[in-house]
Amino acid sequence: MRVIQRYKGVLVTLIIVVLIFYAYELDDEYLETVGELLSIVAGEPINSSFPITFYQSAYVDHRFDPPRLRIFTINKCLKNYQFLLADLHFNVTIHLGSRKVELNVEKIYKKATKGITVCLQPVYYFSHWQNILLFIEAWRAQGATRFIVYFHSATKETWKVLAYYRDLGLVEIKHWPSFPSFPVDIAYKYPRIDDSVLRNAYFLAMNICILDIKTTFGTVPDFDEVLVPTNGRLLDYAIKEMAGTKVGALIFDNHYVSFTPNIYSANFSGVASPKFRTLAWPSKYVFNASVIDIAQVHVPDSFTDPSMISIKADGALLHFRYDAESKNLTTTEKPYRFFPDNHSTHIKNMEDTAKKIFNGVIPKFSSKSNDALHECVNKIMKSEDKICVSTGGLCKAEMDKVEDWVYAKSEPLFLIAI
Ligand SMILES: *[C@@H]1O[C@H](CO)[C@@H](O)[C@H](O)[C@H]1NC(C)=O
Ligand SMILES: *[C@@H]1O[C@H](CO)[C@@H](O)[C@H](O)[C@H]1NC(C)=O
Ligand SMILES: *[C@@H]1O[C@H](CO)[C@@H](O)[C@H](O)[C@H]1NC(C)=O
Ligand SMILES: *[C@@H]1O[C@H](CO)[C@@H](O)[C@H](O)[C@H]1NC(C)=O
Ligand SMILES: *[C@@H]1O[C@H](CO)[C@@H](O)[C@H](O)[C@H]1NC(C)=O
Ligand SMILES: *[C@@H]1O[C@H](CO)[C@@H](O)[C@H](O)[C@H]1NC(C)=O
C-alpha cells in the first residue's frame, strides 16, 4: 500500500480549541469550543508563525464513509482561508512552512464489544479519593467495563486508589503531561499553553478518549457523577433504548446528591440513602460509541450519521459534589440509587476495598489542598488579566506548597513543529 496523497486540508477535521480569550470557571457550563470540518479550496497554508500544538496521533476514522482523517490540535482560531498542509503516508506529516511535525496514524472502526467505557478528563490536583472509589464501584455495577483516566496530578491517596484499580485491569491511566512551549521565535507573542490548558485540555482529552473506546457504549462524566436509570442497570437500559435505533445518546438530568454521614468524614454508609437537592445544573449522557462524532461536556455535539438523535433518559445524573451540604438547598425524595441492587453489600465492599488500599489505616480527609486550589483560582480570577487561566500551570507553585503531589510522567503527548 504505497498510497501517497497530498491533502490540501480537504479531509482534515480539526478540533479547534480557542487558546486566547478564555476565562476559567470552576465547575463549568458549556465549553464554547466547536468542531469544524474545514473544506478549503484556495487559501493560505499556516506556517510555524502560527501557535499550534498537535496531539501525537492522527486518526483515520472508518466510522465515516468515506473514512475521515482527524487531527487534534490546540491553537488559536483559524481564519476560514487558512488551512493545514499535510502528507498522508503510513503516518501524517504536517507542513508548517519550513517546519514540519509527524503524527502517527491510528484507525478507528465501529465498536462491537458489549459494555460501557468511561472517559475521565485530566485529573488536576485531585484530592477527593473517596469519590473515585464510589465512582468506580457504582459505574461497574451499572455495567461499565473500562475506565480511561487522563492524569496530570493528584494526592498520594488518590494515586493509590487509581493504581489499585489499574492493577485490577479496570482503569487505564494515561499520563497527561505539561504542554511543550512554542518555537522560540513566536513563544514571546503568546501565553504559555500550559498556563491556559485546563479547560481546553478537558475538551481535547474527551474527544481523543472516545476514539479509543472499544465497547458499544461510552460516557464522559466527572469523578463525582454517576448515571443511573430509574429501574435496573444502565447497560441494559442503554441497550433497550439505543440498539438498532436512531437514538445515539441518552441524556440524564442533573441531581445534586449529599450523604449523611458524608463520605469524607466517616464511611460509605450514607450512600444507601442519598439526599437529593434541587439545583439546576447541566446534564451528562451515555452514547453509542459507533456513531458519536464530537463530544461536548454536557451533550453530544454531532454524530457520524446526521440522522441520529439524542433523547432524555428515564433516570438521573447523580452528582455528589464535595460541597453539597454547604449549599443549604431544599432536600427532596427521589427514587434514584447508585447501585441497581444490594446496597449493603456494595457499601461493605467499598469499605473493605478502602481498608485494603490503605493497609487498614483509612487516611483522614483534609480540605487543605482543595482550599488552596480555590484560593489560587480566585486570586487569578480577580486579577486584571484573567484570560488564559488554568490550574495546570499557574497554580503549580502554590499547590506544591501544600502537598507532595504525584505528577504525570512526562511523555511527548503533544508536539510542536520543529
Ligand atoms: C507565515 O504566515 C504568516 C501569516 O499567514 C505570514 O505573514 C508570514 O510571512 C509567513 N512566514 C513565512 C516564513 O512564510
Ligand atoms: C513516518 O513514516 C515514514 C515513512 O514510512 C518513516 O520513515 C518515519 O519514521 C515515520 N515517522 C513516525 C514518527 O512514525
Ligand atoms: C449504534 O448505532 C448503530 C448505527 O446506527 C446501530 O446499528 C447499533 O445498533 C447501535 N448500537 C447500540 C449498541 O446501540
Ligand atoms: C459509619 O459512620 C457513622 C457515623 O460516624 C457511624 O455511626 C457508623 O457506625 C459507621 N458505620 C460503620 C459500619 O462503621
Ligand atoms: C438554610 O436555609 C433555611 C431555610 O431557607 C434558613 O432558615 C437557614 O438559615 C439556612 N441556613 C444557613 C446556614 O444558611
Ligand atoms: C446481596 O447481598 C446478600 C448479603 O450479602 C447476598 O447473600 C446476595 O447474594 C446479594 N445479592 C446479589 C444479587 O448480589
Side-chain angles (χ1 to χ4, degrees), residues 80-99:
N80 55 15
Y81 58 85
Q82 291 177 305
F83 63 87
L84 268 184
L85 195 55
D87 285 340
L88 178 62
H89 304 259
F90 297 101
N91 51 34
V92 168
T93 307
I94 310 270
H95 297 275
L96 299 175
S98 56
R99 289 199 165 102

Side-chain angles (χ1 to χ4, degrees), residues 77 151 173 205 271 320 365:
C77 281
F151 180 85
I173 301 176
V271 173
F320 47 109
F365 179 78

Side-chain angles (χ1 to χ4, degrees), residues 39 55 71 73 100 115 143-144 154 157 179 198 233 260 284 290 295 333 342 351 357 373 385 393 396 416:
S39 14
Y55 182 64
I71 294 171
T73 69
K100 62 181 183 183
E157 290 77 22
F179 281 69
L198 174 58
R233 209 165 61 120
T260 315
K284 284 282 160 89
S290 295
E333 273 303 315
N342 245 354
E351 289 175 4
I357 293 173
L373 187 58
D385 174 21
K396 184 172 188 305
I416 55 159

Side-chain angles (χ1 to χ4, degrees), residues 195-211:
D195 286 347
S196 53
V197 90
L198 174 58
R199 299 190 68 192
N200 300 338
Y202 191 108
F203 186 74
L204 180 66
M206 186 185 331
N207 280 281
I208 293 165
C209 185
I210 63 176
L211 294 180

Side-chain angles (χ1 to χ4, degrees), residues 91 103 248 250 299 329:
N91 51 34
L103 314 178
L250 299 168
V299 286
L329 296 161

Side-chain angles (χ1 to χ4, degrees), residues 242-261:
M242 291 199 268
T245 72
K246 285 284 167 196
V247 178
L250 299 168
I251 315 271
F252 292 76
D253 282 342
N254 182 75
H255 288 73
Y256 212 17
V257 173
S258 65
F259 305 116
T260 315

Side-chain angles (χ1 to χ4, degrees), residues 24-38:
Y24 178 82
E25 276 164 55
L26 204 58
D27 206 333
D28 44 354
E29 65 314 277
Y30 293 92
L31 274 182
E32 273 92 21
T33 15
V34 282
E36 277 185 6
L37 174 64
L38 301 177

